[in-house]
Amino acid sequence: MRWWPSSVLHLLRCLRLRVCTRRGRSRLPLWLSETWAYVRLLVQSLYFNSLTNSDVVFDSVFEPVFWTVDHITRWFGMVFVCLVVILTSSILLIAYTILLPLVINTYSPAWIAWHLCYGHWNLVMIAFHYYKATKTSPGYPPTVKNDISFVSVCKKCIIPKPARTHHCGICHRCILKMDHHCPWLNNCVGHFNHRYFFCFCLFMTMGCIYCSISGRNLFLDAYNAIERFKHMDMEKPGVPVTGMGLLIGILPPGQTNYQTPSPPYTFKDKMIHKSIIYMWVLTSTVGVALGGLTIWHAVLISRGETSIERHINSKETKRLAKRGKVYRNPFNYGRLNNWKVFFGVEKRSHWLTRVLLPSGHAPQGDGLTWDIYPIKKDMMPI
């Protein structure tokens, strides 16, 4: 009775030793085992971390997609900027070489003065704000130790983030009061260039609408002319004359084709009409698309929000609504005050000098600290 258990134990020990020997022979290479251990650690960190939520899991799973999009956007940034310059220059070339002579020869002096003044004012505002939006730094939080209050720590920069600061994966930096990264500017839209971006969108929309409305009749005339040219091109250059036509002497002796006259238009006329059509289609399309974007940003500015904060505030509103509470944006000072803060209007004359004329003044505040208590009365007596 005693021998049986001891023999069983001896057999189990032999089997265990044999299995261990086989495991030692089939052990994975060191680099592969280390890689496998690292992957297991990463996976385990997702559900062992007490701060893990759906956003962390989503960012981890789609990190390769985000990386690809960020790098493609960075590479094509200069391409988009060059495209804006080329398309705008083409419209200006058509306006000065084709439309301006027509305006001078057609309109009265009062209308000529109106088109010259408004057109050049709009052009200056577009060029100024686009240049400033692309060249002005959006603002970055300090990377050295300081006493400025912060709300979180960036998980990528590993630096304190002040309120309204977010990380840009394309610029690889944290941006003060970040709105979004604009590929058409090849720059982030933040605290120090947000006004330039919005004014560029606004005045570009106004310019496109101006060209679309004022060139509508020219577009219709050019389109009808192109259609007539197509019908003319379909006609044959010569009509053969045979049979009785030769007998009655329609053509001189030896000639068998009746030559139709040359078309009553030149290549220059055709290109002028096509240029007018191109200008009207481009300005109308950009005016509609960019107009929608401008209206959306105007709504956000009226609420004291950025594009990123719009999503954050929406989530907070739903979260607190489930608890029976109401969420209020701490940076909303009222519609009029929000616009005054955004444009930097401190007195009445600033509506002219800082809004309707080019102005390079800095925005209010440093982008690091904010007044978080809404003010019911006007911040500025204007």
Side-chain angles (χ1 to χ4, degrees):
M1 295 296 295
R2 294 180 180 178
W3 175 83
W4 183 78
S6 62
S7 61
V8 172
L9 291 175
H10 179 71
L11 180 61
L12 292 176
R13 288 173 182 172
C14 293
L15 291 175
R16 182 179 180 184
L17 181 62
R18 184 173 297 179
V19 171
C20 292
T21 305
R22 290 180 178 178
R23 286 182 179 177
R25 293 176 181 176
S26 62
R27 182 174 296 176
L28 296 175
L30 180 61
W31 66 270
L32 189 58
S33 61
E34 290 180 350
T35 304
W36 173 247
Y38 180 68
V39 171
R40 287 181 59 189
L41 179 63
L42 290 179
V43 174
Q44 291 175 356
S45 66
L46 291 177
Y47 54 85
F48 281 134
N49 188 355
S50 61
L51 300 178
T52 299
N53 53 26
S54 60
D55 293 336
V56 175
V57 176
F58 181 84
D59 292 343
S60 302
V61 172
F62 285 90
E63 184 65 26
V65 179
F66 297 150
W67 183 89
T68 304
V69 173
D70 292 345
H71 279 69
I72 291 177
T73 305
R74 188 184 305 113
W75 291 337
F76 280 89
M78 288 303 300
V79 176
F80 287 131
V81 172
C82 293
L83 188 62
V84 171
V85 175
I86 292 174
L87 293 178
T88 306
S89 300
S90 65
I91 298 300
L92 292 177
L93 180 63
I94 295 173
Y96 279 107
T97 58
I98 298 176
L99 299 184
L100 187 58
L102 291 177
V103 169
I104 294 176
N105 296 327
T106 305
Y107 293 160
S108 63
W111 274 109
I112 294 175
W114 152 253
H115 283 290
L116 291 177
C117 292
Y118 177 82
H120 286 90
W121 169 78
N122 204 337
L123 175 61
V124 169
M125 297 297 285
I126 292 173
F128 172 81
H129 287 102
Y130 185 72
Y131 176 81
K132 296 292 287 186
T134 55
K135 294 299 182 180
T136 302
S137 170
Y140 311 107
T143 57
V144 296
K145 186 177 180 180
N146 56 79
D147 297 330
I148 299 174
S149 59
F150 60 95
V151 296
S152 63
V153 176
C154 180
K155 63 181 181 180
K156 295 186 178 180
C157 296
I158 318 299
I159 61 173
K161 289 200 305 183
R164 314 186 80 177
T165 300
H166 302 278
H167 185 86
C168 177
I170 300 175
C171 298
H172 296 303
R173 298 190 68 174
C174 285
I175 308 298
L176 298 178
K177 205 191 85 168
M178 179 180 176
D179 189 271
H180 68 287
H181 184 93
C182 181
W184 300 102
L185 302 179
N186 194 28
N187 195 9
C188 263
V189 178
H191 177 63
F192 291 100
N193 65 345
H194 193 183
R195 178 176 64 88
Y196 297 130
F197 164 77
F198 176 77
C199 289
F200 163 71
C201 294
L202 175 63
F203 290 111
M204 178 64 83
T205 301
M206 293 172 58
C208 291
I209 294 175
Y210 163 74
C211 292
S212 179
I213 294 177
S214 61
R216 177 180 176 276
N217 293 332
L218 292 175
F219 163 75
L220 295 176
D221 294 340
Y223 181 81
N224 294 329
I226 291 295
E227 290 297 320
R228 289 196 303 270
F229 295 163
K230 289 181 179 179
H231 290 297
M232 293 179 183
D233 292 337
M234 292 175 64
E235 296 180 358
K236 296 180 180 181
V239 179
V241 179
T242 57
M244 293 299 297
L246 293 175
L247 295 177
I248 61 177
I250 294 180
L251 297 177
Q255 184 176 345
T256 59
N257 285 335
Y258 174 71
Q259 300 295 331
T260 58
S262 60
Y265 66 89
T266 62
F267 177 77
K268 179 180 178 181
D269 296 333
K270 199 171 183 178
M271 291 306 299
I272 288 175
H273 291 303
K274 287 186 176 182
S275 298
I276 293 175
I277 295 175
Y278 160 78
M279 182 205 70
W280 191 87
V281 172
L282 179 61
T283 54
S284 300
T285 305
V286 174
V288 172
L290 193 59
L293 179 65
T294 304
I295 293 174
W296 168 246
H297 278 278
V299 172
L300 294 179
I301 294 170
S302 300
R303 297 173 179 174
E305 298 176 327
T306 62
S307 299
I308 297 177
E309 292 171 353
R310 172 61 179 169
H311 299 286
I312 297 175
N313 294 342
S314 178
K315 291 176 63 176
E316 286 297 309
T317 301
K318 295 178 181 178
R319 184 179 68 86
L320 293 180
K322 295 179 180 178
R323 301 181 180 181
K325 299 180 181 180
V326 178
Y327 174 78
R328 293 183 179 179
N329 179 17
F331 309 111
N332 185 4
Y333 309 127
R335 286 187 177 87
L336 181 58
N337 286 329
N338 289 334
W339 283 105
K340 292 177 182 178
V341 172
F342 180 78
F343 283 124
V345 175
E346 299 176 355
K347 54 184 180 180
R348 255 174 229 215
S349 60
H350 285 171
W351 290 108
L352 173 63
T353 59
R354 292 189 173 185
V355 179
L356 297 180
L357 293 176
S359 177
H361 66 279
Q364 294 184 5
D366 55 4
L368 300 173
T369 58
W370 301 89
D371 295 328
I372 61 174
Y373 298 104
I375 301 174
K376 295 182 179 180
K377 63 180 181 179
D378 285 347
M379 299 174 64
M380 306 158 197
I382 319 173

